[in-house]
Amino acid sequence: MTPVELLGWMAALVGTVLGLPQLIRLARTRSTAGLSLFGWQAILVLNLIWALHGIKIGQPNMIVTNFGGLVTTSIVLVLFTRDLGRRLLPVVLPSLLAVVVLVAVDLGLGSTAFGVASLVPAILANAGQIIEVVRSPSVTGVSPVFLGLGLLNQLLWLSWAVLLDEASSKISSFLLVLMIAFNLTWYLLRRAGLRAFFARPVETVEVAAELTGEAELTGQ
């Protein structure tokens, strides 16, 4: 196995299990506090477009990791919408429409144009999560393991893309490394006691307990 293939399959392995810590966190805490629904809608777009791009360029590692991630993302969105009392179809429909547009870019304009276009959902996914981590009264619903694995995953994809000289993956992975690193750093600051900026009113006992230091969760 070549170094490129090894990195690709390492990235695929991490990416396949990437969403599991967040799914476990949701199941354990039954809380979406600090999570961004908009961010997970964008992650759904990313899972689908990169799986289809992997099929296009004949890279099984991209196909495996993104279809694996699609399963986890779908379950997270189901739990998310239930927690918010919303219907699933209206939540995922904008994502599916965005996938159609981005696949058309990939097929019509090529990998470089697709790489640039794919930055839009990538930026939106991480920007949505950054906003929630910064302003949410509580971050108990966020899994630090998920954020850490996300950073590792993008570092692996970036290394793979550099060795393979795959333009779209290099563009996307580099920006994602920066944004996920910021997301993880801010989350750790919040857990260390940093208060929310532009916070919404505290609405639940769980949030109030965390803000007074009475609620501490460990694990995923």
Side-chain angles (χ1 to χ4, degrees):
M1 182 176 290
T2 67
V4 173
E5 292 172 331
L6 180 61
L7 275 172
W9 282 109
M10 287 174 63
L13 176 62
V14 175
T16 302
V17 301
L18 175 60
L20 289 178
Q22 186 57 69
L23 184 57
I24 294 170
R25 183 79 170 189
L26 281 174
R28 287 183 57 205
T29 65
R30 300 187 181 277
S31 170
T32 57
L35 290 177
S36 168
L37 176 60
F38 182 74
W40 280 93
Q41 289 172 300
I43 290 173
L44 178 63
V45 175
L46 292 169
N47 288 150
L48 284 168
I49 62 173
W50 282 109
L52 295 172
H53 182 71
I55 293 172
K56 177 192 172 187
I57 65 174
Q59 291 295 329
N61 53 312
M62 295 181 73
I63 300 169
V64 170
T65 188
N66 284 289
F67 274 121
L70 178 62
V71 174
T72 306
T73 300
S74 300
I75 298 173
V76 168
L77 282 170
V78 168
L79 295 177
F80 217 138
T81 53
R82 286 181 180 176
D83 184 64
L84 298 177
R86 299 176 62 175
R87 291 187 299 126
L88 183 61
L89 182 58
V91 169
V92 302
L93 186 57
S95 299
L96 299 179
L97 294 175
V99 169
V100 172
V101 173
L102 289 166
V103 168
V105 170
D106 194 14
L107 295 176
L109 301 178
S111 288
T112 300
F114 170 75
V116 174
S118 72
L119 290 178
V120 176
I123 290 172
L124 292 177
N126 285 278
Q129 188 54 57
I130 287 172
I131 290 170
E132 285 301 312
V133 169
V134 169
R135 72 188 294 258
S136 178
S138 169
V139 292
T140 56
V142 181
S143 166
V145 180
F146 168 70
L147 295 177
L149 285 177
L151 181 58
L152 173 61
N153 184 239
Q154 290 306 319
L155 287 170
L156 289 170
W157 280 123
L158 179 59
S159 301
W160 172 84
V162 169
L163 290 177
L164 191 65
D165 196 25
E166 215 285 304
S168 56
S169 297
K170 284 193 289 186
I171 294 168
S172 180
S173 294
F174 178 72
L175 182 62
L176 286 177
V177 165
L178 298 179
M179 297 190 74
I180 297 173
F182 179 87
N183 228 326
L184 179 59
T185 300
W186 202 275
Y187 168 84
L188 293 174
L189 290 172
R190 288 296 310 275
R191 295 299 291 179
L194 182 68
R195 300 285 178 159
F197 288 83
F198 313 108
R200 294 182 294 272
V202 176
E203 297 176 347
T204 68
V205 174
E206 178 188 5
V207 170
E210 187 191 18
L211 291 175
T212 56
E214 296 174 7
E216 287 296 333
L217 295 172
T218 59
Q220 299 288 352

